[in-house]
Amino acid sequence: MAADTPYTSRLPQRVAVTGASGLIGGALVASLRAQGGEVRRLVRRPPGNGQEARWDPSGQDRAANVAALRDCDAVVHLAGAGVSDRRWTKSYKRRIRDSRVLGTTAIAEAIAAQPTPPRVFLCGSAIGYYGYTGDRAVDEDAGPGTGFLADLSQEWEAAAEPARRAGVRTVQLRTGLVVARKGGAWGKLFPIFRAGIGGRIGNGRQYWSAISLTDHVAALRFLLQEDNELAGPVNLTGPHPATNREVTRVMGRVLHRPTLFPVPSPVLRVVLGEFAQDVTGSQRVLPARLQSAGFTFQHPTVEDAVRAALG
């Protein structure tokens, strides 16, 4: 991150991060370390150096989890099996669920067991919590939707309860689509559109709620600040959701490529199985609590985010 990265003051000195090898976790670790912070990467394998600690996401090795978080001022929990990495078989859906619910329970219980608990716990979640909202814009006051991701998100967020009960400021990070050149669902779009074979998905009217990787990391830093009082669910999406048709136009315009090849919904169902419903489902989600708290987006539109990813 550049020297002018926002929200550099009043950050906790010692931060533990799970999922540190992932897209968001890796960027967060680099950002915090660039500002002189001490970051402890929690890994499942034997630690490779003094900046790593082993943890057990199944929760069976409770002692290891408690030790991994000792003396930390903050914990950021981002680990979980990729939702879009594989076709949703029954066994992979179980893996997605267990990696989030069991892992969050393990971390939250380890936080609660600390002699001096950390001041803040940022825990991953997803805008899948809201289900499909169609054209209706929703913020954090909206109730849960239905479907696999909505049910999963409710379980996932409930699993953080031990940390909250221990008096730790706990934030559920309801993340949308993260726009990055490499990694995540959007990273798979760039090669397709560069090749000139990108196009709208389904009817193109479904809303995609996206956020640039830079803004996502900045939002995490904002939420980590010691004088920040936000707790509970916080939407990590840009302030201007766009339809898939609009996203398609942006990708074509920025990459200077045609976008003539729409992907029909039946084809998606063959390729993606049940996950195709979430690709064609509409989620128009607004970051109301972030904006009310004073967070400023560097890339407020999808086009801003796409250009930032390529820049």
Side-chain angles (χ1 to χ4, degrees), residues 283-303:
Q283 291 190 299
R284 192 177 183 181
V285 180
L286 303 178
R289 299 194 72 200
L290 269 182
Q291 291 188 295
S292 295
F295 180 79
T296 301
F297 286 87
Q298 298 181 59
H299 310 121
T301 70
V302 168
E303 182 158 349

Side-chain angles (χ1 to χ4, degrees), residues 8 18 30-31 71 92 95 151 167 174 207 241-242 251 254 307:
T8 59
T18 74
S31 173
D71 299 325
Y92 193 64
R95 179 178 170 186
D151 294 344
R174 291 181 181 168
Y207 276 90
M251 294 290 281
V254 173
R307 291 188 182 279

Side-chain angles (χ1 to χ4, degrees), residues 22 33 62 71 81 85-86 112 128 131-133 158-159 183 188 207 210 225 237 241 264 275 285 291 297 301 304:
R33 285 180 174 169
R62 185 173 182 272
D71 299 325
D85 288 357
R86 299 184 188 177
Y132 310 137
T133 71
K188 298 175 182 178
Y207 276 90
Q225 291 184 110
T237 61
F275 182 55
V285 180
Q291 291 188 295
F297 286 87
T301 70
D304 294 333

Side-chain angles (χ1 to χ4, degrees), residues 73 108 111-114 116-121 160-171 228-231:
D73 302 312
I111 287 173
Q114 297 299 314
T116 303
R119 289 190 289 273
V120 58
F121 176 37
E161 183 63 15
R164 191 193 66 79
R165 285 201 305 265
V168 177
R169 179 168 68 90
T170 300
V171 181
N228 194 316
E229 297 181 355
L230 278 178

